[in-house]
């Protein structure tokens, strides 16, 4: 017997990285939110690598934080190591990466969820959605509890019809031997959604006490105090190192001799795997000219001996995994605590979504995370906060919120998914962003904090602190513009030592700072005047001045692009009525239902001629006569 278990503004299905951000965002907006998950002990669980961040991904965490999300705050409190990557390169590709304490991360996130106002956390299996007249009105659990809501967000990760594969063994399971969701997948198919099948995998975990670290290369964290969240003021200093080792010819021989026993190469796996995170079997086959591959030994926490063998993802039988491990330097006597495995799962074709992450088929229904075909905790969390914001706004009767490609990597991610779709688990890369010089690690707050504040996700105190930072940056730029540096002997010698050309005449400090080899600290040394300013202010001043020309050029390109984005496509447009449009363009436009000319121009199969015809048609107002 079905019973009414209550009414909420928003219901979030799942409490992984997407679900956590979605639930917290909608609750902070003031929407009464229910989050249901299969296992309350698995909140924000990391089934794969115990790390967050890296190129593009680390910037996403900063963007989430700038919008009022929590991933950055949690990892700052629970990491065992923090490193800034690509420090020798320009600011557009610098990215923070943290090794997580997996058990502690779960504990910290669950504490935040349980203490978030307007948020209720429950353990339940969702079997189907409650749909009335094409609108999602709630969920029905396996215990026949009917929960009603104005918006529902699905963030089920890899749990929909999940199947684990190890050699010739296969069984229904989510990550870490958890229950899977079968009926929700079937229900989505019944509702007319197109699902696809993807695959991911994990490597073995080994006991740290059985590793010979003398044969591996230490990978320490940075000594510099740094964090993902702009609100972090206390930093972890007792870091734990990771270690680097490599596969060798013996490892490759073990794999090659047993390829047919791998679930991936035996034909058991039907789903498509991630191109940018291949299994070790894939690496050996695809890159057979390589004599070795990197293996990182990553501790999973301070109070566990489990070590994640990064780079050795596999679906080979367990006994072969043992042989593979023992062939690697430092792991000759390693004790495997958990075998690696592949996992297949259902995902929704992402072109069935609007940029708000609301589904086109069912109003009030949103999806976020790996169910949309992405890989990675950060990509999931980035979608989660946007889905949560929009679900909350819809429930509260407010206008939706969309980030475009020039505002955030999150905007790039979502636009790629809903406009282009994906044929493999999507991974966010810096190369996917055409405006990456503007989407940097250092300026996520400048790009997004005001938006988060206007939504109500950033509090007054934080916004005032942000405004103070902006003021300090501008004042310091003005000071450097006025500050004249004379071409005296000390200045000339300092410039020569920095491999910089000596001055011919006196120069503004601002102009000197624009030289590639001159840093803000060098200016302080030359002027012998150390400013009492936060390091992030000094960093922002240096980047803005040094890359001023490039930033202006990129900003001009963005403005031209925004002109296309601002040309909206009417909802009632009939693409079949537009003469001159190519047949493929008509089909793609009807399927994607782009919201703007800009989005239409990025659809594969819609060429510039089609865009011009569409633009003329709209400007002439002919759509108004379509019945």
């Amino acid at each position: 017997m079905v019973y009414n278990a209550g009414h909420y503004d928003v219901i979030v299905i799942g409490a992984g990285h997407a679900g956590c951000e979605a639930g917290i965002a909608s609750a902070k907006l003031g929407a009464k939110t229910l989050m249901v998950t299969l296992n309350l002990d698995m909140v924000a669980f990391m089934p794969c690598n115990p790390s967050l961040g890296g190129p593009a991904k680390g910037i996403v965490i900063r963007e989430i934080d700038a919008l009022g999300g929590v991933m950055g705050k949690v990892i700052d409190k629970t990491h065992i190591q923090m490193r800034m990557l690509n420090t020798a390169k320009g600011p557009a590709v610098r990215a923070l990466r943290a090794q997580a304490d997996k058990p502690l991360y779960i504990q910290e996130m669950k504490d935040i969820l349980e203490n978030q106002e307007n948020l209720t956390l429950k353990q339940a299996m969702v079997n189907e959605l409650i749909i009335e007249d094409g609108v999602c009105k709630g969920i029905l659990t396996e215990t026949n509890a009917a929960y009603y809501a104005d918006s529902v967000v699905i963030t089920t990760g890899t749990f929909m019809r999940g199947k684990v594969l190890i050699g010739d063994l296969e069984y229904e399971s989510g990550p870490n031997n958890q229950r899977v969701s079968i009926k929700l997948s079937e229900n989505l198919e019944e509702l007319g959604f197109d699902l696809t099948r993807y695959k991911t995998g994990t490597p073995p975990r080994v006991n740290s006490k059985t590793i010979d670290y003398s044969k591996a290369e230490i990978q320490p964290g940075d000594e510099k105090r740094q964090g993902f969240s702009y609100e972090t003021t206390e930093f972890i200093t007792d870091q734990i190192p990771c270690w680097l080792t490599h596969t060798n010819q013996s490892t490759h021989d073990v794999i090659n001799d047993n390829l047919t026993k791998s679930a991936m190469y035996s034909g058991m796996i039907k789903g498509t795997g991630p191109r940018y995170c291949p299994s070790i079997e894939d690496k050996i086959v695809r890159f057979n000219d390589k004599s070795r591959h990197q293996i990182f030994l990553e501790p999973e926490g301070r109070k566990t001996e489990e070590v994640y063998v990064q780079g050795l993802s596999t679906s080979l039988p367990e006994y072969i995994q043992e042989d593979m491990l023992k062939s690697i330097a430092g792991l000759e006597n390693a004790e495997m605590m958990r075998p690696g495995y592949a996992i297949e799962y259902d995902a929704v074709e992402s072109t069935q979504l609007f940029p708000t992450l609301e589904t086109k088929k069912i109003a009030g229904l949103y999806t976020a995370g790996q169910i949309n075909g992405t890989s990675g905790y950060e990509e999931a969390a980035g979608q989660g906060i946007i889905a949560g914001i929009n679900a909350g706004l819809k429930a509260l009767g407010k206008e939706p919120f969309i980030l475009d490609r020039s505002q955030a990597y999150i905007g790039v991610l979502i636009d790629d998914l809903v406009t282009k779709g994906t044929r493999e688990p999507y991974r966010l890369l810096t190369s996917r962003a055409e405006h990456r010089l503007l989407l940097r690690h250092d300026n996520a707050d400048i790009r997004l904090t005001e938006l988060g504040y206007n939504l109500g996700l950033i509090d007054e105190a934080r916004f005032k602190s942000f405004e103070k930072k902006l003021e300090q940056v501008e004042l310091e730029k003005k000071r450097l513009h006025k500050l004249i540096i004379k071409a005296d002997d000390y200045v000339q010698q300092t410039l020569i030592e920095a491999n910089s050309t000596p001055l011919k005449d006196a120069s503004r400090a601002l102009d000197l700072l624009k030289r590639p080899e001159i840093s803000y600290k060098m200016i302080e040394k030359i002027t012998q005047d150390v400013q009492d300013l936060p390091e992030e202010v000094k960093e922002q001043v240096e980047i803005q001045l040094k890359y001023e020309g490039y930033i202006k050029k990129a900003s001009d390109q963005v403005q031209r692009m925004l002109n296309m984005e601002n040309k909206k496509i009417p909802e009632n447009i009939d693409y079949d009525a537009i003469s001159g449009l190519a047949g493929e363009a008509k089909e793609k436009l009807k399927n994607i239902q782009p919201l703007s000319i800009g989005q239409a121009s990025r659809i594969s199969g819609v060429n510039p001629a089609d865009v011009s015809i569409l633009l003329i048609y709209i400007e002439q107002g002919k759509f108004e006569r379509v019945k």
Side-chain angles (χ1 to χ4, degrees):
M1 176 182 171
V2 175
Y3 75 96
N4 188 332
H7 187 280
Y8 295 82
D9 296 317
V10 176
I11 294 174
V12 177
I13 305 172
H17 302 283
C20 290
E21 296 294 349
I24 290 169
S26 64
K28 288 176 74 172
L29 287 175
K32 183 183 176 185
T33 304
L34 170 67
M35 182 185 295
V36 294
T37 180
L38 289 172
N39 188 341
L40 288 175
D41 297 325
M42 299 285 288
V43 164
F45 180 64
M46 295 181 181
C48 201
N49 54 310
S51 64
L52 290 175
K57 292 169 174 278
I59 300 173
V60 168
I61 300 175
R62 295 277 275 186
E63 292 173 350
I64 292 168
D65 185 77
L67 287 171
V70 295
M71 178 176 265
K73 296 179 179 64
V74 176
I75 191 61
D76 284 354
K77 287 185 178 181
T78 61
H79 68 269
I80 61 174
Q81 185 193 108
M82 189 82 75
R83 295 179 70 183
M84 181 66 77
L85 307 181
N86 300 326
T87 53
K89 299 180 180 180
V93 293
R94 292 174 198 159
L96 203 56
R97 185 177 187 271
Q99 290 296 137
D101 186 318
K102 288 172 72 169
L104 194 57
Y105 189 94
I106 291 172
Q107 180 182 329
E108 180 66 26
M109 185 66 82
K110 190 179 180 188
D111 182 61
I112 290 174
L113 293 172
E114 290 177 340
N115 289 283
Q116 173 62 52
E117 187 180 359
N118 296 323
L119 183 62
T120 300
L121 192 59
K122 289 181 181 288
Q123 183 167 293
M125 167 73 80
V126 177
N127 277 357
E128 61 182 82
L129 303 170
I130 299 172
I131 309 296
E132 297 176 7
D133 298 323
V135 179
C136 189
K137 294 293 186 178
I139 61 172
L140 183 65
T141 72
E142 66 179 352
T143 58
N144 286 323
Y147 294 95
Y148 295 91
D150 299 304
S151 301
V152 173
V153 185
I154 305 178
T155 66
T156 46
T158 60
F159 283 84
M160 291 211 311
R161 285 200 286 231
K163 181 192 292 184
V164 164
L165 302 104
I166 306 172
D168 61 1
L169 170 68
E170 63 174 87
Y171 56 93
E172 288 183 349
S173 176
N176 205 36
N177 287 327
Q178 295 297 300
R179 295 182 67 194
V180 292
S181 175
I182 304 294
K183 292 189 176 181
L184 184 57
S185 256
E186 295 172 347
N187 184 228
L188 289 173
E189 286 182 324
E190 291 167 359
L191 291 170
F193 285 96
D194 294 326
L195 303 185
T196 189
R197 195 82 172 150
Y198 285 141
K199 165 258 174 189
T200 188
T202 69
R205 274 73 155 179
V206 299
N207 191 317
S208 178
K209 293 178 180 178
T210 62
I211 297 174
D212 183 353
Y213 289 108
S214 67
K215 296 182 179 180
E217 179 185 337
I218 193 168
Q219 304 285 299
D222 293 343
E223 292 184 7
K224 180 181 178 181
R225 291 153 60 95
Q226 53 197 344
F228 283 100
S229 175
Y230 289 92
E231 293 188 271
T232 296
T233 55
E234 296 181 5
F235 300 89
I236 295 171
T237 55
D238 57 327
Q239 301 188 73
I240 298 175
C242 295
W243 300 81
L244 173 65
T245 184
H246 297 84
T247 62
N248 53 56
Q249 191 57 51
S250 295
T251 316
H252 300 185
D253 289 343
V254 170
I255 295 167
N256 280 320
D257 291 345
N258 294 282
L259 269 180
T260 57
K261 297 173 185 174
S262 164
M264 182 167 184
Y265 282 87
S266 67
M268 291 178 64
I269 292 178
K270 307 300 181 186
T272 306
R275 186 192 320 178
Y276 300 101
C277 188
S279 67
I280 190 63
E281 297 99 296
D282 236 4
K283 290 180 187 177
I284 301 306
V285 172
R286 289 164 53 188
F287 310 108
N288 55 25
D289 58 319
K290 302 291 184 184
S291 61
R292 66 177 193 170
H293 295 279
Q294 290 184 330
I295 301 294
F296 289 94
L297 306 176
E298 303 178 346
E300 295 217 331
R302 296 179 186 276
K303 295 184 178 181
T304 176
E305 294 299 329
E306 283 193 75
V307 173
Y308 184 90
V309 188
Q310 174 75 275
L312 213 66
S313 176
T314 182
S315 61
L316 283 162
E318 186 173 333
Y319 70 95
I320 296 173
Q321 293 186 38
E322 294 273 12
D323 293 340
M324 188 166 57
L325 284 169
K326 295 185 186 307
S327 71
I328 298 171
L331 302 180
E332 295 89 345
N333 299 304
E335 176 186 297
M336 186 164 64
M337 299 177 71
R338 305 186 199 214
Y341 61 87
I343 183 169
E344 281 191 325
Y345 56 95
D346 284 347
V348 170
E349 293 283 2
S350 57
T351 53
Q352 298 170 107
L353 307 172
F354 290 114
T356 58
L357 296 181
E358 184 178 21
T359 67
K360 297 170 182 175
K361 292 183 181 297
I362 305 292
L365 178 64
Y366 299 76
T367 59
Q370 282 184 276
I371 187 177
N372 288 344
T374 57
S375 66
Y377 312 136
E378 304 86 351
E379 289 93 336
Q383 294 171 72
I385 192 168
I386 298 302
I389 288 171
N390 282 309
L393 291 173
K394 189 177 187 85
L396 298 173
K398 298 181 179 180
E399 290 296 309
F401 176 76
I402 297 173
L403 288 174
D404 65 47
R405 299 180 69 90
S406 66
Q407 290 177 296
Y409 269 102
I410 297 173
V412 173
L413 162 67
I414 293 175
D415 184 65
D416 279 352
L417 289 174
V418 305
T419 303
K420 303 174 183 177
T422 182
R423 289 293 169 261
E424 63 186 37
Y426 177 102
R427 180 177 182 177
L428 195 56
L429 307 167
T430 54
S431 59
R432 297 192 191 271
E434 59 270 46
H435 308 298
R436 55 186 174 275
L437 181 58
L438 302 179
L439 308 181
R440 307 186 306 273
H441 168 89
D442 64 89
N443 72 347
D445 60 336
I446 295 174
R447 291 183 277 121
L448 301 175
T449 300
E450 186 170 359
L451 295 177
Y453 174 72
N454 291 337
L455 285 166
L457 301 176
I458 297 291
D459 64 29
E460 194 70 32
R462 177 170 173 179
F463 189 64
K464 292 295 183 186
S465 176
F466 164 69
E467 287 185 313
K468 180 180 178 181
K469 173 185 172 178
L470 294 185
E471 181 182 11
Q472 289 175 319
V473 169
E474 291 306 312
L475 288 174
E476 181 58 6
K477 285 162 64 177
K478 290 178 181 178
R479 186 186 76 86
L480 292 174
H481 178 75
K482 294 178 181 178
L483 180 61
I484 303 299
I485 296 177
K486 297 179 180 179
D488 58 32
D489 292 343
Y490 173 73
V491 169
Q492 303 291 49
Q493 184 59 37
T494 304
L495 290 174
I496 291 171
E497 290 174 358
N499 295 317
S500 190
T501 305
L503 295 174
K504 292 182 179 179
D505 299 296
S507 171
R508 283 190 171 88
L510 178 147
D511 294 325
L512 199 56
L513 183 55
K514 291 182 179 180
R515 293 186 180 186
E517 68 278 6
I518 300 298
S519 66
Y520 183 94
K521 286 186 178 180
M522 185 66 67
I523 296 293
E524 289 184 321
K525 179 181 179 182
I526 289 172
T527 60
Q528 297 184 356
D529 183 9
V530 177
Q531 295 296 300
D532 183 22
L533 291 170
E535 286 301 314
E536 62 174 12
V537 170
K538 296 179 180 181
E539 176 190 50
Q540 195 56 224
V541 168
E542 180 174 342
I543 290 173
Q544 288 188 19
L545 293 179
K546 197 176 291 294
Y547 297 93
E548 184 177 32
Y550 298 103
I551 291 172
K552 184 181 185 305
K553 184 178 180 180
S555 298
D556 290 343
Q557 291 174 341
V558 166
Q559 191 55 54
R560 288 195 293 273
M561 184 195 77
L562 288 178
N563 291 336
M564 296 282 280
E565 297 299 327
N566 290 333
K567 295 183 186 301
K568 301 303 180 184
I569 297 176
E571 290 183 17
N572 65 334
I573 195 166
D574 182 357
Y575 292 107
D576 288 325
I578 306 177
S579 61
L581 272 185
E584 182 183 5
K586 288 182 180 180
E587 290 304 312
K588 292 291 182 69
L589 289 165
K590 286 189 288 185
N591 181 42
I592 303 298
Q593 299 177 45
L595 302 182
S596 67
I597 292 294
Q599 188 186 358
S601 71
R602 294 189 294 275
I603 298 173
S604 175
V606 178
N607 61 45
D610 295 317
V611 173
S612 296
I613 291 169
L614 177 60
L615 184 58
I616 292 171
Y617 183 84
I618 292 172
E619 288 180 344
Q620 290 177 344
K622 292 183 178 180
F623 64 89
E624 293 178 354
R625 295 192 292 273
V626 174
K627 299 298 182 182

